[in-house]
């Protein structure tokens, strides 16, 4: 995407978008110079920022495959971002062609590209909404049409809640979705932490606050674990992102704490 492309309404070309920055970290093309400059600044703080982004994306794929193997056929992907390789509907529908996926994002570029990608897919759609307003998401026509809340649903909150400030009540957001889910539903979550590399986390937090559309709030292992209230974490629990059920062909990093994101998957308890 070039900066001269027609921009979707609501796009701020003078501020780096967290969705477009993530796209740039993953090697995508739907980003602007301002996003790539911000990513370069993040990489100057943490040279493996792109590696961390790829590890987070790989966790998403592994989590969806795990959930599909558990029989889940419905997914709500909150803060889904700009489509790239290994999208949730692609992974889920590889396991079951009729798996249903609703993406949720408020970034105009993410919504526009998702809308185009999903135009011919009857079992997947995108909601233009802010995850901070769960009632709006749950009441959306896309969710009402595709998701049957009498059957298990997986809610995916992958690398999104660290963009929710404390005063915006991230635990309350999770609880609102949890309370709408039937038993045997699931939550998959990853979240940046200040547990292992506080100086790096603090520097990146300052950069996002000054240059991006959304500030970052990093949290401790316990604070992230508390977001799973009402869910029973499956093995191996809440761990550094590359350690969550790595595939056989994936190398376990020598120093997993360098990956300052925790990840986990939990099942709704009775």
């Amino acid at each position: 995407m070039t900066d001269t492309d027609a921009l979707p309404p609501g796009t701020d070309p003078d501020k780096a978008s967290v969705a477009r920055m993530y796209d740039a970290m993953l090697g995508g093309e739907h980003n602007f110079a301002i996003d790539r400059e911000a990513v370069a600044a993040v990489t100057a703080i943490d040279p493996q920022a792109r590696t961390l982004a790829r590890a987070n994306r790989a966790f998403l794929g592994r989590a969806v495959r795990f959930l599909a193997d558990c029989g889940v056929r419905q997914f709500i992907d909150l803060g889904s971002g700009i489509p790239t390789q290994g999208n949730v509907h692609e992974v889920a529908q590889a396991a079951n062609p009729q798996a249903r996926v609703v993406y949720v994002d408020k970034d105009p570029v993410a919504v526009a590209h998702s809308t185009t990608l999903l135009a011919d897919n009857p079992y997947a759609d995108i909601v233009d909404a802010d995850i901070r307003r769960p009632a709006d998401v749950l009441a959306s026509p896309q969710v009402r049409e595709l998701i049957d809340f009498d059957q298990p649903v997986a809610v995916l909150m992958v690398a999104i809640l660290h963009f929710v400030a404390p005063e915006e009540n991230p635990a309350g957001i999770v609880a609102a979705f949890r309370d709408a889910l039937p038993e045997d539903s699931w939550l998959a979550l990853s979240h940046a932490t200040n547990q292992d590399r506080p100086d790096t986390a603090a520097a990146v937090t300052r950069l996002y606050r000054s240059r991006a559309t959304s500030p970052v709030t990093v949290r401790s292992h316990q604070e992230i674990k508390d977001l799973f209230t009402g869910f029973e974490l499956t093995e191996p629990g809440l761990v550094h992102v590359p350690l969550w059920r790595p595939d056989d062909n994936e190398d376990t990093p020598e120093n997993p704490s360098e990956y300052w994101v925790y990840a986990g998957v939990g099942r709704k308890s009775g």
Side-chain angles (χ1 to χ4, degrees), residues 12-167:
D12 182 357
D14 298 319
K15 196 87 168 172
S17 154
V18 296
R20 299 192 310 261
M21 286 175 65
Y22 191 49
D23 178 70
M25 289 183 189
L26 293 171
E29 299 177 351
H30 304 304
N31 50 78
F32 305 144
I34 195 167
D35 308 306
R36 295 187 290 275
E37 290 163 4
V39 169
V42 173
T43 305
I45 296 168
D46 182 2
Q48 69 162 20
R50 293 176 184 272
T51 301
L52 180 56
R54 289 192 294 270
N56 185 74
R57 188 70 182 181
F59 159 70
L60 173 64
R62 295 196 305 274
V64 172
R65 287 195 299 274
F66 166 78
L67 293 165
D69 288 345
C70 290
V72 178
R73 299 293 179 262
Q74 304 183 106
F75 300 83
I76 301 176
D77 185 4
L78 300 172
S80 51
I82 295 169
T84 183
Q85 292 183 340
N87 297 299
V88 171
H89 73 280
E90 294 168 338
V91 178
Q93 291 175 357
N96 183 331
Q98 294 186 351
R100 295 167 181 257
V101 178
V102 176
Y103 296 101
V104 181
D105 209 293
K106 68 182 182 70
D107 180 89
V109 174
V111 172
H113 284 285
S114 297
T115 299
T116 300
L117 177 67
L118 302 172
D120 298 322
N121 192 321
Y123 300 115
D125 209 340
I126 175 78
V127 178
D128 182 355
D130 192 326
I131 72 157
R132 296 171 182 84
R133 295 192 291 273
D136 292 350
V137 174
L138 293 167
S140 67
Q142 298 91 332
V143 168
R144 292 201 308 268
E145 179 180 349
L146 287 176
I147 303 299
D148 177 3
F149 285 95
D150 291 327
Q151 301 295 324
V153 180
V155 171
L156 313 175
M157 298 186 176
V158 175
I160 186 62
L161 287 178
H162 47 236
F163 295 116
V164 177
E167 61 271 19

Side-chain angles (χ1 to χ4, degrees), residues 52 55-63 157-159 162 187-193 196 219-221 224-225 228 233-246 256 259-266:
L52 180 56
N56 185 74
R57 188 70 182 181
F59 159 70
L60 173 64
R62 295 196 305 274
M157 298 186 176
V158 175
H162 47 236
L187 171 66
L189 185 153
S190 66
H191 195 299
T193 183
D196 305 294
R219 296 182 169 94
S220 70
H221 183 274
I224 299 168
K225 189 174 181 180
F228 281 93
L233 279 163
T234 190
E235 291 295 329
L238 185 65
V239 296
H240 293 102
V241 67
L243 300 184
W244 195 89
R245 295 178 179 257
Y259 292 74
W260 46 287
V261 169
Y262 284 118
V265 175

Side-chain angles (χ1 to χ4, degrees), residues 76 138 147 149 151-155 174-187 231 268:
I76 301 176
L138 293 167
I147 303 299
F149 285 95
Q151 301 295 324
V153 180
V155 171
V174 178
F177 284 102
R178 178 198 67 214
D179 292 347
L181 300 177
E183 266 190 75
D184 297 327
S185 291
W186 296 81
L187 171 66
F231 295 90
K268 183 174 178 178

